[in-house]
Amino acid sequence: MPFNPRHLALVCVALGLTQLVPALWIVVAPHSFFAHVGPFGAYNGHYLGDAAAFQAGIGVALIAAARFEALRAGALAIAAASIGFHAINHWIDVDNAHAGSDAGLTDAVLLTLLALLTVAPLRAAVERTNP
């Protein structure tokens, strides 16, 4: 079943929130984020801030793409690539999270699913832009 392009704006908002919510969590409570989601290696507030900045940038671009159709294919391509590489990184480190955290296999699987879910909207946006 092909993806209905009428839903692209809603998908952009939803994907944007998947990027903005963790970015906001990192900014508001970085130690909490590290303990529950990112306990790989030693805590480093600067690198967490960098991660939040990149995720927020992608999230804002996706939210803007919900409003401006011309931005959709590009924003969705960036989201698909960044989420996909993020998933790969989690698979590489799947057994390296601190014990007792929520990180690990669950995060790797969820990121992989999210990356795969971006493919159909991306394709629909590209086809709509380049008929």
Side-chain angles (χ1 to χ4, degrees):
M1 174 196 241
F3 184 85
N4 188 333
R6 289 183 296 153
H7 302 299
L8 283 171
L10 182 60
V11 167
C12 286
V13 170
L15 281 173
L17 291 174
T18 70
Q19 303 304 299
L20 287 173
V21 169
L24 183 61
W25 185 3
I26 292 169
V27 169
V28 171
H31 289 282
S32 171
F33 181 89
F34 178 79
H36 295 288
V37 180
F40 295 88
Y43 175 86
N44 185 315
H46 177 82
Y47 289 139
L48 281 172
D50 285 349
F54 284 109
Q55 279 197 260
I58 294 165
V60 167
L62 286 162
I63 299 294
R67 171 67 174 89
F68 301 104
E69 186 173 357
L71 300 177
R72 289 184 188 157
L76 287 166
I78 290 168
S82 67
I83 296 166
F85 285 121
H86 192 175
I88 290 167
N89 189 52
H90 272 263
W91 282 110
I92 291 168
D93 287 340
V94 75
D95 292 326
N96 294 330
H98 294 201
S101 75
D102 300 333
L105 182 62
T106 302
D107 284 353
V109 168
L110 290 174
L111 284 165
T112 301
L113 290 173
L114 185 59
L116 292 172
L117 287 172
T118 63
V119 173
L122 170 57
R123 185 174 177 179
V126 168
E127 288 173 355
R128 193 168 172 99
T129 304
N130 301 305

